[in-house]
Amino acid sequence: MDLAYLRAHPEHLPTFLTHQRIRETPVSGGNICAASRLTLDDGHSVFAKTWPETAGGPVPEGFFAAEAAGLRWLRDAGAVAVPEVVVALPELLALDWVEPGEPTPEAAERFGRELAVLHRAGAPAFGADWPGFIGALPQDNTPESGPWSAWFARRRLAPYLRLSVDDGALAGVRAALVEQVIERIGELGGDEPPARIHGDLWPGNLLWGADDRVWLVDPAAHGGHRETDLAQLALFGGPPHLDRILAAYDETWPLADGWRERVPLHQLHLLLVHTALFGAAYQDAVGTAARAALRGSRRATVDR
């Protein structure tokens, strides 16, 4: 099987893998899926993701289709480097292989500019035309016209607060703080038209390539707020050269006043996803972000 054959007959890939007709090398691929590098007969490689047998159940319906749709939508903007989708089947996803490289200040600055262009490509609404996932969890992409704050509270905060509380990962004061954020989110300001965003842009979803570019992988893409991507980038220690990324972004498309005060609000979504997925280990981070968001709410009220 060479790349041309694979593009023409993507449905044959599972059979070739089952019968070990393709050289397969395990690689790191995140916290959810099993990942491997597939080397084809013509020397080309693709990156393949499958639902692991250890997951305890079948792949959720539409899981890989959602990622493929998001990758294609981001790639269509012609802004940031995004791997091409080679195979998208219900049980697996295969992408063009990106050779890893080292982070450089030049790549960071280029990425900041390209991310601004991606966001500025926009979206017809908040949400998307396909059912979403973030990690292994469904994410409601029902398109809405906004305003952003109401949409974000309803579609991105409240569902994962409920999951976290129901699973016992979040309770008491921390849960109450998130409820306050949801109730008062309109006080924070910062509403903007929908941007074309990655949606799960923590530093692990940046791939620094050997071509001195930053590639976007593992999206939960949708129409959202551009500050969400930038806030998520700062989580878990941030990527190398984050200051260069932000400066180049702001130079290309200046951010609205008060964006730094809104960072905890935008981070709260992904932190709630972590309590819903991984449990109480992230409850303190949720509480800290919620408190900071509420402090930002009070400052926004005073500034008016």
Side-chain angles (χ1 to χ4, degrees), residues 5 8 10 14 49 54 60 72 103 106 117 148 172 191 218 221 237 263 265 303:
Y5 183 92
K49 297 173 67 171
T54 56
R72 288 169 175 145
E106 294 76 19
V117 175
W148 167 79
D191 278 308
D218 294 342
V263 165
L265 171 66
D303 290 344

Side-chain angles (χ1 to χ4, degrees), residues 10 28 44 46 62 79 84 108 135 151 162 171 197 207 210 220 231 273 283 285 291:
S28 60
H44 281 95
V46 296
E84 182 183 357
W151 169 84
R162 287 195 298 270
I197 71 170
L207 177 55
V273 168
Q283 62 178 330
R291 285 189 182 91

Side-chain angles (χ1 to χ4, degrees), residues 48-73:
K49 297 173 67 171
T50 57
W51 190 254
E53 295 179 3
T54 56
V59 57
E61 184 178 355
F63 180 80
F64 288 119
E67 182 171 346
L71 288 165
R72 288 169 175 145
W73 188 60

Side-chain angles (χ1 to χ4, degrees), residues 105-117 208 226 230 233-234 239-255 259-260:
E106 294 76 19
E109 290 176 2
R110 179 176 179 176
F111 172 62
R113 293 190 294 270
E114 292 175 338
L115 186 62
V117 175
W208 299 80
R226 60 187 179 130
L230 298 176
L233 267 181
H241 313 300
L242 177 59
D243 57 336
R244 299 285 191 101
I245 294 172
L246 294 176
Y249 184 105
D250 193 50
E251 183 179 310
T252 306
W253 187 12
L255 290 155
W259 73 270
R260 292 186 186 277

Side-chain angles (χ1 to χ4, degrees), residues 163-249:
L163 283 173
S164 300
V165 170
D166 290 347
D167 289 345
L170 202 62
V173 172
R174 297 179 185 88
L177 285 167
V178 178
E179 289 172 351
Q180 289 182 51
V181 171
I182 291 171
E183 291 169 2
R184 298 173 55 187
I185 194 169
E187 301 172 19
L188 271 166
D191 278 308
E192 290 189 357
R196 187 172 304 213
I197 71 170
H198 178 283
D200 189 11
L201 200 58
W202 70 286
N205 285 340
L206 298 185
L207 177 55
W208 299 80
D211 57 355
D212 210 29
R213 295 191 74 183
V214 178
W215 294 71
L216 295 184
V217 296
D218 294 342
H222 61 276
H225 199 303
R226 60 187 179 130
E227 292 175 13
T228 298
D229 271 355
L230 298 176
Q232 290 176 348
L233 267 181
L235 283 168
F236 314 127
H241 313 300
L242 177 59
D243 57 336
R244 299 285 191 101
I245 294 172
L246 294 176
Y249 184 105

Side-chain angles (χ1 to χ4, degrees), residues 1-17 22 36 38 40 45-50 63-72 75 83-97:
M1 175 181 280
D2 58 19
L3 186 59
Y5 183 92
L6 182 59
R7 291 185 191 281
H9 306 282
E11 72 280 3
H12 292 177
L13 181 56
T15 301
F16 274 75
L17 288 173
I22 299 176
S36 58
L38 308 182
L40 307 179
S45 291
V46 296
F47 173 84
K49 297 173 67 171
T50 57
F63 180 80
F64 288 119
E67 182 171 346
L71 288 165
R72 288 169 175 145
R75 187 178 168 89
E84 182 183 357
V85 176
V86 178
V87 177
L89 299 174
E91 67 271 32
L92 65 82
L93 183 69
L95 312 175
D96 200 24
W97 178 260

